[in-house]
Amino acid sequence: MAKIQTPQPVRGTQDMFGETEERFAHVVATFERVRRLYGFKGLQLPVIEPTAVFSRSLGEATDVVSKEMYSFEDRGGDSITLRPEFTAGIARAYLTNGWQQYAPMKLSVHGPLFRYERPQKGRYRQFHQIDAEIIGAAEPAADVELLVMADQLLKELGIDDGVTLQLNTLGDTQSRDAWRAALVSYFNDHRDVLSEDSLARLEKNPLRILDSKDPDDRGVAYAAPKIDDFLSAEASDFFAAVTAGLDAAGVAWTRNAALVRGLDYYRHTAFEFVTDRLGAQGTVLGGGRYDGLIENLGGLATPAVGWAAGIERLAMLLNGVGKPLRTASIVVEIDSDKLFSVAKQMEKRIRKEGMPCGIISEGNPKKRFDRAKKLGTDYILTLNENADGSFAFGVKRNVLDRYKTTGRLNVALKFYLRDVFGVSPTDWRVVSHGGGTLKLDK
RNA sequence: GCGAUCGUAGCUCAGUUGGUUAGAGCGCUGGUUUGUGGUACCAGAGGUCGGGGGUUCAAGACCCCUCGAUCGCCCCA
């Protein structure tokens, strides 16, 4: 008989469990809380879109469209793509639902995205992002709002340490085009020193030479023409307004004139929060203004700005998952229906008080304690029977109460112990806070 | 798409220049001891050494292919 081969997971996907999952959930929960503080509305969007949503919005970035999207034909012969980003889908929803009527819109989403790439540190084929966008707002205050929110989010996650906000402007269309032309001619004059990769970039995506990692390119890139020399008065004022807004809000930033975007629809502000703690994938949150995108999708020229951040990367940077909930295990030491029913009632009250709790009553007594210890619960409550038929109720505390949550256990069982067993709340208070054993008379 | 490193039990790994029947810790199962403080004891189950092919008297080890993982390059919406 042939052995059944267990199917393997799809490359670049992950199964999250335990601490990994808790970190992930913490990032999402924090984002959901913070985005509300700034008045961003939530969105739920399809994971699949017509391929045109992305191929049209991404425009000339042929590598990205042809090689790095998960696309397939459905049974009707339509080309469908698993969303590789949020922005294009949001723009499509904005247009097809007539959301112009609500402009300017502050929107947020999170969920899975798919890119057919080689997995590496902090980079998966199915990955997850949080995303925030402001559509229909042309003023620099929108950029500032988004950045202030991002800054607060990173601070609340406790990962702002070692993370810096790098900021640049790509100018408006005229500025950007003039700068790009100057760069092409400059790099053409220095072909001899450019790396092989950068010679290819010169044809396809010259701006990208500026942030090349190749040491050969560094010198030329550093001396390359600067956007500042090509900025129109309007573009210059816009950027000044953004930086002034950040300063006023107390958000630290550094100028990175080499920070660029590969796609043509980006204008003005480009930014990345960067860390040195994630190897080659240093960007923790990135975005910019994409005033040209909605036109690419057939809409009226609509200003928009937004950012996205990889949840996995944020989760990796998390130092802890926040304030832990105190937990309890009830060990019923011997098999007894009466003890089990007492345990059940205690468990219910403890849970109702918001403290996770479970009963352990399988295996020999030693195993029960081993299991309770292994669960790492903060309190182990024991139930046994004394020789005289009364119950012995023990409380063992496994942790120092750094978070002042001792009260919960006390409150959960206070009246139960008093009403059913006549235990005085004072005696119970001592035991629940310091540990010890109580005799429960029926 | 390219490069480097790696793949042995459920997990983390050992396994010498190729040489008897592939090991340990943890976990798991059963039991013993003990009214429980992260350290008891005994026993047991569990491995096509990622997969395929080759070299050899002999391959977990060497060679080729393949799949996967990790890290980097390209790309990064």
Side-chain angles (χ1 to χ4, degrees), chain A residues 144-353:
Chain A
V144 173
E145 169 95 332
L146 241 7
L147 282 164
V148 173
M149 177 166 82
D151 186 67
Q152 178 170 354
L153 174 67
L154 297 181
K155 285 200 167 86
E156 298 219 358
L157 288 171
I159 57 183
D160 53 312
D161 201 37
V163 173
T164 53
L165 166 56
Q166 302 193 351
L167 196 64
N168 197 19
T169 178
L170 305 171
D172 50 27
T173 313
Q174 302 92 301
S175 314
R176 187 190 157 116
D177 290 350
W179 181 42
R180 182 190 169 108
L183 282 174
V184 170
S185 106
Y186 168 80
F187 285 124
N188 255 316
D189 292 342
H190 296 84
R191 284 181 151 274
D192 49 321
V193 287
L194 284 181
S195 67
E196 214 173 302
D197 283 332
S198 283
L199 285 174
R201 290 188 185 108
L202 186 50
E203 305 305 321
K204 292 162 66 178
N205 205 347
L207 300 203
R208 278 283 165 195
I209 302 177
L210 291 176
D211 58 8
S212 169
K213 289 172 188 161
D214 195 308
D216 293 348
D217 298 333
R218 291 268 175 73
V220 241
Y222 186 77
K226 300 286 184 287
I227 178 69
D228 289 9
D229 299 325
F230 301 88
L231 286 180
S232 66
E234 293 79 6
S236 191
D237 289 348
F238 190 97
F239 190 56
V242 171
T243 58
L246 291 176
D247 292 339
V251 175
W253 57 278
T254 57
R255 179 72 191 276
N256 178 2
L259 180 63
V260 294
R261 294 276 102 110
L263 302 178
D264 285 340
Y265 55 65
Y266 281 100
R267 311 286 152 77
H268 295 293
T269 325
F271 54 87
E272 289 181 5
F273 287 82
V274 180
T275 179
D276 51 6
R277 285 162 60 199
L278 283 179
Q281 310 298 324
T283 299
V284 134
L285 183 152
R289 185 162 271 280
Y290 50 95
D291 289 351
L293 171 66
I294 291 184
E295 268 179 281
N296 287 355
L297 285 172
L300 293 173
T302 306
V305 54
W307 56 250
I311 299 175
E312 287 88 345
R313 290 190 197 173
L314 293 172
M316 279 192 278
L317 292 169
L318 241 42
N319 291 318
V321 287
K323 198 165 162 176
L325 265 181
R326 297 285 82 136
T327 56
S329 291
I330 301 174
V331 175
V332 181
E333 294 187 56
I334 54 168
D335 293 321
S336 149
D337 289 345
K338 280 182 283 184
L339 282 181
F340 193 70
S341 106
V342 169
K344 262 308 192 196
Q345 293 176 58
M346 288 183 166
E347 179 187 48
K348 182 178 174 184
R349 284 172 167 75
I350 292 169
R351 284 174 173 167
K352 197 173 172 192
E353 199 54 38

Side-chain angles (χ1 to χ4, degrees), chain A residues 58-76:
Chain A
L58 295 170
E60 67 168 39
T62 51
D63 250 33
V64 167
V65 170
S66 61
K67 298 194 338 209
E68 293 170 18
M69 296 201 312
Y70 265 99
S71 301
F72 59 94
E73 263 193 18
D74 70 6
R75 293 177 191 221

